């Protein structure tokens, strides 16, 4: 359900803004009285949130998750049995992929338009991609390539690096980060690479959520910057980002629209959000 703190007028305005892809312009950022649903109403459960995998349906482009890394994005949370030496209590394993190949012949994969090539008569009839994302210098796409001709059948198996951006690099930053709970009932945490002290960590707020429906709206703290159609976070390392999380990997368009409406009512600039393709993903 919508947070009880939202008035009927706010909901109507938010729905209208979502319909046209806009949020109402705001005089100040963050909006007056901005806070998380947990802080305003209670009911946030850190044991529920920081347990298992969340699948990102929409996200904001930031420095450590650049444009294009919008395929099979997920975050798996594990509460630690005891705090680390630096005081962190939650481990977060992040997964994000950008497909960048010399030729994309698979209709269901979201290959960027600039990476597609025109297929010739010799193009493969079928092409199966297996994506493996690990915390190593390179990830790999195992390509099983099979095609037929009138006279014979040929098979080729090859392993080539997965270029996750134009220079073949992975997203900046560690794939595993750590979190420290600042206010468990308000849904406010701080996150950083596990080797950094909490003094260098950044805010990470669960702005709104529904345990029953299995979703969360997450931001890098309060949106302090003025955007084109509302407020937004920064795009650097700390104090940045906006995400729509769901427990189910398959996209529910109606649910995503509902969460966007809640984000708009909170004063967020929705134009910063980009879709994530969660179809045909390998295990994260």
């Amino acid at each position: 359900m919508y947070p009880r703190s939202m008035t009927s007028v706010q909901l109507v305005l938010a729905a209208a803004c979502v319909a046209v892809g806009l949020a109402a312009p705001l005089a100040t950022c963050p909006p007056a009285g901005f806070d998380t649903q947990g802080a305003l109403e209670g009911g946030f459960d850190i044991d529920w949130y920081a347990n298992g995998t969340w699948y990102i349906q929409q996200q904001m482009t930031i420095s450590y998750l650049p444009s294009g890394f919008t395929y099979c994005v997920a975050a798996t949370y594990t509460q630690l049995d005891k705090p680390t030496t630096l005081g962190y209590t939650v481990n977060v394993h992040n997964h994000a992929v950008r497909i960048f190949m010399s030729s994309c012949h698979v209709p269901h994969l979201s290959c960027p338009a600039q990476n597609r090539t025109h297929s010739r008569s010799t193009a493969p009839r079928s092409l199966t991609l297996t994506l493996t994302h690990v915390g190593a210098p390179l990830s790999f796409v195992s390509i099983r390539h099979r095609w037929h001709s009138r006279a014979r059948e040929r098979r080729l198996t090859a392993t080539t690096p997965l270029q996750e951006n134009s220079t073949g690099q992975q997203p900046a930053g560690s794939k595993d980060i750590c979190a420290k709970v600042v206010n468990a009932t308000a849904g406010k945490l701080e996150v950083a690479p596990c080797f950094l002290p909490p003094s260098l960590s950044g805010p990470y707020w669960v702005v709104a959520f529904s345990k029953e429906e299995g979703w969360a709206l997450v931001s890098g703290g309060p949106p302090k910057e003025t955007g084109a159609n509302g407020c937004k976070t920064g795009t650097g390392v700390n104090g940045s980002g906006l995400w729509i999380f769901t427990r189910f990997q398959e996209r529910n368009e109606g649910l995503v629209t509902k969460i966007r409406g809640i984000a708009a009512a909170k004063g967020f600039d929705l134009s910063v959000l980009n879709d994530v393709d969660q179809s045909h993903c390998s295990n994260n």
Side-chain angles (χ1 to χ4, degrees):
M1 64 176 63
Y2 285 98
R4 292 190 297 274
S5 59
M6 294 168 61
T7 68
S8 58
V9 174
Q10 285 177 310
L11 288 174
V12 171
L13 290 174
C17 291
V18 170
V20 297
L22 300 175
L26 297 170
T28 61
C29 291
F34 181 90
D35 214 329
T36 64
Q37 179 181 337
L40 295 171
E41 303 174 17
F44 183 76
D45 183 356
I46 189 65
D47 293 328
W48 162 76
Y49 180 79
N51 180 28
T53 299
W54 288 100
Y55 299 98
I56 290 72
Q57 303 298 338
Q58 289 192 329
Q59 65 186 21
M60 177 181 176
T61 297
I62 51 179
S63 63
Y64 57 89
L65 195 58
S67 175
F69 291 90
T70 54
Y71 184 79
C72 300
V73 186
T76 300
Y77 289 71
T78 305
Q79 291 195 74
L80 304 177
D81 293 333
K82 60 180 181 179
T84 67
T85 304
L86 293 174
Y88 294 111
T89 56
V90 179
N91 178 267
V92 186
H93 177 74
N94 294 307
H95 175 91
V97 170
R98 176 178 180 181
I99 296 178
F100 187 90
M101 300 173 58
S102 60
S103 179
C104 291
H105 297 293
V106 187
H108 66 248
L109 289 179
S110 300
C111 300
Q114 67 271 25
N115 296 339
R116 295 176 183 157
T117 60
H118 296 290
S119 57
R120 299 176 296 175
S121 59
T122 57
R125 295 286 182 88
S126 62
L127 179 63
T128 302
L129 304 182
T130 302
L131 305 182
T132 304
H133 186 88
V134 296
L138 285 176
S139 296
F140 293 91
V141 178
S142 299
I143 303 178
R144 195 169 186 181
H145 192 172
R146 178 177 179 176
W147 68 93
H148 299 271
S149 67
R150 293 180 181 178
R152 61 187 178 184
E153 175 181 297
R154 295 181 59 191
R155 296 183 182 183
L156 172 68
T157 300
T159 300
T160 59
L162 170 65
Q163 294 181 321
E164 294 191 341
N165 62 20
S166 59
T167 60
Q169 298 175 348
Q170 294 183 7
S174 174
K175 304 302 175 290
D176 283 271
I177 61 175
C178 284
K180 180 178 181 179
V181 178
V182 176
N183 187 324
T185 59
K188 297 180 181 181
L189 301 86
E190 291 182 348
V191 297
C194 300
F195 59 86
L196 289 180
S199 60
L200 298 178
S201 61
Y204 182 92
W205 288 14
V206 183
V207 176
F209 63 92
S210 172
K211 294 176 65 175
E212 295 76 14
E213 295 179 318
W215 60 265
L217 175 68
V218 180
S219 74
K224 298 179 179 180
E225 298 187 9
T226 301
N229 302 299
C231 296
K232 62 181 182 178
T233 67
T235 57
V237 176
N238 288 339
S240 62
L242 180 65
W243 299 266
I244 291 178
F245 284 11
T246 62
R247 283 298 191 190
F248 299 98
Q249 190 165 22
E250 184 177 355
R251 186 182 179 96
N252 180 328
E253 199 62 49
L255 183 60
V256 171
T257 299
K258 175 179 178 177
I259 302 168
R260 283 174 59 87
I262 293 172
K266 283 283 191 180
F268 282 101
D269 179 0
L270 301 185
S271 68
V272 304
L273 289 172
N274 302 304
D275 282 330
V276 174
D277 185 354
Q278 292 288 355
S279 63
H280 304 280
C281 299
S282 62
N283 292 330
N284 294 330

